Amino acid sequence: MCGIVGAIAQRNVSQILLEGLSRLEYRGYDSAGICTIDKNELNCIKTTGKVKNLKEAVKEKGCLGTIGIAHTRWATHGVPSEVNAHPHICENLALVHNGIIENFAELKEQLIALGYNFKSQTDTEVLVCLIHHHLQSSDNLLQAFKAALNEVKGSFGLALIDKNDSNTLYAARSGSPLIIGLGIGENFIASDTLALLPVTRRFIYLEENEIAVITTESVNVYDLDGNKIEKTAVESDLDTESISKGRYRHYMQKEIFEQPQSLQNTLLGRLRGDDISTETIVGSDENSFKDIEAIQIVACGTSYHAGLVGRYWLEELTGIPTNVEIASEYRYRKAVVRKNSLFITISQSGETADTLASLRLSKEQNYSKSLCICNVNGSSLVRESDFTLFTKAGAEIGVASTKAFTTQLLSLLILALILGKQKGTISAEQNHEIMENIRKLPNLSQEFLECDSQISKLAEEFSGKHHCLFLGRGVMFPIALEGALKLKEISYIHAEGYAAGELKHGPIALIDKEMPVVVVAPDNSLMDKLISNVEEVRARGALLYIFISKDAHIKQDEQTRKLALPDCPEILQPILFTIPLQLLAYHCAVINGTDVDQPRNLAKSVTVE
Ligand code: G6P
């Protein structure tokens, strides 16, 4: 969701900025822009649509300069258009912005009264004018920048340049991530490390309410009162390989097929016989969770579905009562917090605004500890939580989450084992059996991927439908929810996930020949109950797609398509049965001709509320 890139160097920076924007495309956006300082003038080019349109415009018009800022915009205030695209300019200043300035309307009125004119409908143009206004009464731009930021309410990641000073790039953050990339004789900023991997691997993470003043040789960071802050640079371990599509047609396809490796990486170095090493949860020791008596999980989207699965495992293996809630709901509710409660956030990016706000709220509540399950080292959630369990999925570029989800599930199972061990609620035999099963997971996931060609055939029939139901029972209910979410987000087929036992309380009214029903049916203790629900649907003429363990029996007729999947241990079924659902969504999207990796209106990392 919106991307920022900035650079200051002794070479032309426009190609670095455009390449950075291309690498941020996965975050979701609808327009893009770039501004450099060339011969003391601001050279600004903006286009709607994809970054390739901006690249063509830059090629045509030319864009030189050793300092510049660039942006991909996901519209919040004002429609996607060239005028509303960033950078926004006020006289000598150009600004790009991620986030939302909540009090922009009242600031705009004040600025209009002072004689400022506005071309766009954006909050960002208001902010650049506010900085310009303060500059008229300040000694320098840093002072004016601070004064303006002290007046705004809301969230921002910002990059600012001044045509009268081509030696300094300014950046600031509050609520929207921003990192500084350190080069040799050149420095960079971006909203995401992926944008800068071709130019550097050394990064400084800006914290809340920090301003950076960046030249080719120096990076100075201040708080909003002007106090200097010492920062430490960290080396990124992301490889450039992870951000190429390789032999695959789409990132999503690559990421689905990477799951055996990413699940292996989640386990790497963590399993010691029947034990899990204490370093698995960063910041913890063997007693950290002994006194935990309740758990609250908070997350958004796919990560929320992971939390719903996690609850089954946590309650079964640790006996600890566990609640799961959507972050945007949790943050505005007066939750009752039990004594000795653990607050868990789950997030691929570690930057989702509602999840982060919930974590911050939890610190004012009565929680004893916070833990995040996260894929991105250095992200806000990681930095602000007491403990972190890294999912180690590797960079995920496709907007629809796939390998991030299955590694979140595996991480939750590992967490349940760690907590169960500390609480003494798991027997040695049960622990041994689960550990043995976990070790089989990467190979089993490879076997599940082999259903790809069968699913692509099913998808041909399926993709023409407009609506679809996904059914599951027990721990497979959240997997049905996730299957429906995958399908709707990338193929635009309307899909709903339902607990199979709930069907007769409403959705059964929708069943007819035009409404396919996908049943997630691994062979487990709820199989018989599920089959009864399937019969109710069959009796009403539904077209059934049953994803079932290969040895389990199900009645076959012309209404039923059976996809036989490998046998697997019950504890691993939620992870493994996710894979065919991801493939179904993927193939339907390809057939429907949608933008698989960047579906319309969606963003990978939702950094605004
Ligand atoms: C967006 C993404 C989803 C993701 C959700 C939560 O909606 O498109 O794929 O599940 O945000 O993101 P997080 O980074 O917190 O897991």
Side-chain angles (χ1 to χ4, degrees), residues 227-533:
N227 302 308
K228 194 156 184 244
I229 297 167
E230 286 312 317
K231 304 289 288 183
T232 325
V234 293
E235 197 86 21
S236 167
D237 53 8
L238 275 176
D239 58 60
T240 25
E241 169 84 348
S242 61
I243 48 174
S244 83
K245 276 188 219 150
R247 63 192 168 89
Y248 293 96
R249 186 166 165 197
H250 296 101
Y251 281 112
M252 182 183 178
Q253 186 189 26
K254 174 178 175 241
E255 287 156 6
I256 291 172
F257 280 88
E258 272 172 356
Q259 287 176 111
Q261 187 58 54
S262 49
L263 291 165
Q264 186 69 61
N265 291 346
T266 309
L267 299 177
L268 199 70
R270 288 170 163 176
L271 308 190
R272 313 248 159 97
D274 279 354
D275 287 327
I276 296 167
S277 75
T278 31
E279 296 92 71
T280 301
I281 300 184
V282 180
S284 77
D285 60 33
E286 56 280 1
N287 294 315
S288 297
F289 306 106
K290 258 197 171 123
D291 57 351
I292 293 302
E293 291 173 51
I295 293 173
Q296 173 70 59
I297 299 178
V298 165
C300 299
T302 289
S303 299
Y304 166 69
H305 293 156
L308 291 176
V309 174
R311 173 168 57 187
Y312 286 86
W313 289 330
L314 285 161
E315 293 200 334
E316 186 183 327
L317 299 175
T318 72
I320 304 173
T322 303
N323 270 323
V324 191
E325 194 160 347
I326 294 165
S328 55
E329 290 298 315
Y330 181 83
R331 64 182 290 194
Y332 293 113
R333 190 168 70 78
K334 291 209 167 31
V336 176
V337 180
R338 295 189 223 183
K339 184 161 101 346
N340 293 329
S341 285
L342 174 65
F343 190 80
I344 299 179
T345 53
I346 307 173
S347 173
Q348 189 285 128
S349 62
E351 301 293 352
T352 302
D354 287 317
T355 311
L356 193 52
S358 299
L359 172 65
R360 289 177 182 156
L361 173 67
S362 77
K363 292 183 180 175
E364 293 158 23
Q365 298 170 318
N366 199 21
Y367 288 96
S368 64
K369 288 156 194 166
S370 63
L371 179 147
C372 76
I373 295 177
C374 190
N375 194 33
V376 180
N377 198 354
S379 62
S380 303
L381 276 183
V382 169
R383 283 177 292 127
E384 296 183 30
S385 299
D386 298 324
F387 308 109
T388 302
L389 175 43
F390 285 108
T391 49
K392 305 208 173 189
E396 190 179 70
I397 310 284
V399 164
S401 188
T402 52
K403 63 177 181 169
F405 178 65
T406 46
T407 55
Q408 283 170 348
L409 293 182
L410 179 55
S411 303
L412 281 155
L413 184 53
I414 290 172
L415 177 68
L417 288 174
I418 293 173
L419 264 60
K421 186 139 205 202
Q422 292 199 11
K423 302 277 300 176
T425 50
I426 303 183
S427 69
E429 297 75 55
Q430 194 183 15
N431 183 62
H432 175 74
E433 191 190 329
I434 297 175
M435 292 292 280
E436 287 295 288
N437 286 333
I438 281 181
R439 286 191 167 88
K440 294 180 197 150
L441 182 59
N443 284 341
L444 280 168
S445 63
Q446 189 64 54
E447 286 180 34
F448 270 69
L449 283 166
E450 280 159 25
C451 66
D452 184 47
S453 55
Q454 270 172 283
I455 292 193
S456 77
K457 284 200 194 82
L458 283 189
E460 278 168 30
E461 186 179 291
F462 202 97
S463 55
K465 304 288 180 201
H466 298 291
H467 305 277
C468 172
L469 276 180
F470 284 72
L471 301 182
R473 277 199 91 124
V475 71
M476 304 313 290
F477 164 46
I479 299 306
L481 292 176
E482 176 59 11
L485 177 64
K486 277 305 76 103
L487 187 72
K488 75 178 104 171
E489 57 186 351
I490 61 165
S491 75
Y492 312 152
I493 297 171
H494 170 228
E496 298 301 332
Y498 254 92
E502 187 66 10
L503 200 65
K504 49 176 108 38
H505 299 291
I508 203 160
L510 298 170
I511 302 286
D512 64 14
K513 290 194 176 56
E514 291 311 308
M515 169 79 93
V517 177
V518 177
V519 187
V520 193
D523 192 4
N524 63 23
S525 48
L526 289 172
M527 184 72 173
D528 291 344
K529 303 268 173 213
L530 184 70
I531 298 295
S532 312
N533 302 134

Side-chain angles (χ1 to χ4, degrees), residues 51 69 72 157 165 192 231 410 420 566 573:
V51 170
I69 53 179
T72 46
D165 176 11
D192 192 319
K231 304 289 288 183
L410 179 55
Q573 287 171 349

